[in-house]
Amino acid sequence: MGARNSADGGAGWDARVIDEIVAGLADKPGALMPVLHAVQERIGYIPPEAVPAIARALNLSRAEVHGVVTFYHDFRHEPPGRNVIRLCRAESCQAMGAVALAAHIQARLGIGFGQTSGDGDFTLEPVYCLGNCACSPAIVVGDDLHGRVTPKRFDEILSAVASARQPR
């Protein structure tokens, strides 16, 4: 999911990619949402410069497309870090320590929700249910779901992510 699936790691984008995605989905009823999800899956975010091309291709106004992109919190407006960390903020996770975990993660990474670390390694995103309530608090790092995450366990997960990046 996200920038790791894009050809360039989310660092840039090519208008031809947008055209290709729109061409494949434009005939579907309510094509805007599938197009936006496909763009984010492929590029890692919705480039603001792509909004006019998407609007034109779907016969919508730029305001309509921009309104949808900004209304839904799942759509990113800039490239994410190499690793996206999603922290559940729903009631079960909050009751089981997600508030303290959020404070620890933010302090550890030096970023808030919706931000990317200066080195581009991590983006922290809030989510409002990961469907893992029995194992609260929960996070997703990349595509990996982790339950019963404590600050200590988060540090272990972060170390594992860092060591996986190191050349052997």
Side-chain angles (χ1 to χ4, degrees):
M1 187 180 299
R4 292 181 303 148
N5 290 341
S6 67
D8 62 7
W13 63 280
D14 186 328
R16 293 174 294 192
V17 171
I18 304 297
D19 294 340
E20 176 186 312
I21 291 168
V22 173
L25 297 170
D27 292 337
K28 289 186 176 248
L32 180 57
M33 289 297 282
V35 164
L36 293 175
H37 282 291
V39 168
Q40 181 155 297
E41 179 67 25
R42 181 100 173 259
I43 298 173
Y45 70 113
I46 310 294
E49 300 83 7
V51 168
I54 294 169
R56 200 171 30 258
L58 297 177
N59 197 28
L60 298 170
S61 71
R62 286 184 283 172
E64 288 173 301
V65 176
H66 177 76
V68 171
V69 171
T70 57
F71 178 79
Y72 291 102
H73 298 281
D74 285 341
F75 293 125
R76 294 184 202 100
H77 310 283
E78 55 192 40
R82 286 178 282 286
N83 299 282
V84 176
I85 299 170
R86 293 178 178 87
L87 172 64
C88 183
R89 309 280 288 157
E91 291 81 1
S92 176
C93 285
Q94 296 259 351
M96 296 301 291
V99 174
L101 180 60
H104 175 78
I105 292 171
Q106 291 173 336
R108 177 75 194 267
L109 299 177
I111 57 175
F113 285 111
Q115 296 180 333
T116 299
S117 59
D119 59 7
D121 278 347
F122 299 99
T123 295
L124 180 60
E125 296 180 345
V127 293
Y128 293 92
C129 189
L130 292 170
N132 199 34
C133 302
C135 297
S136 296
I139 65 171
V140 172
V141 180
D143 293 327
D144 299 324
L145 176 65
H146 302 272
R148 296 186 178 100
V149 180
T150 62
K152 181 178 188 270
R153 181 135 186 267
F154 174 79
D155 291 345
E156 293 166 356
I157 293 166
L158 201 62
S159 292
V161 169
S163 66
R165 281 195 325 256
Q166 299 300 322
R168 294 174 191 226

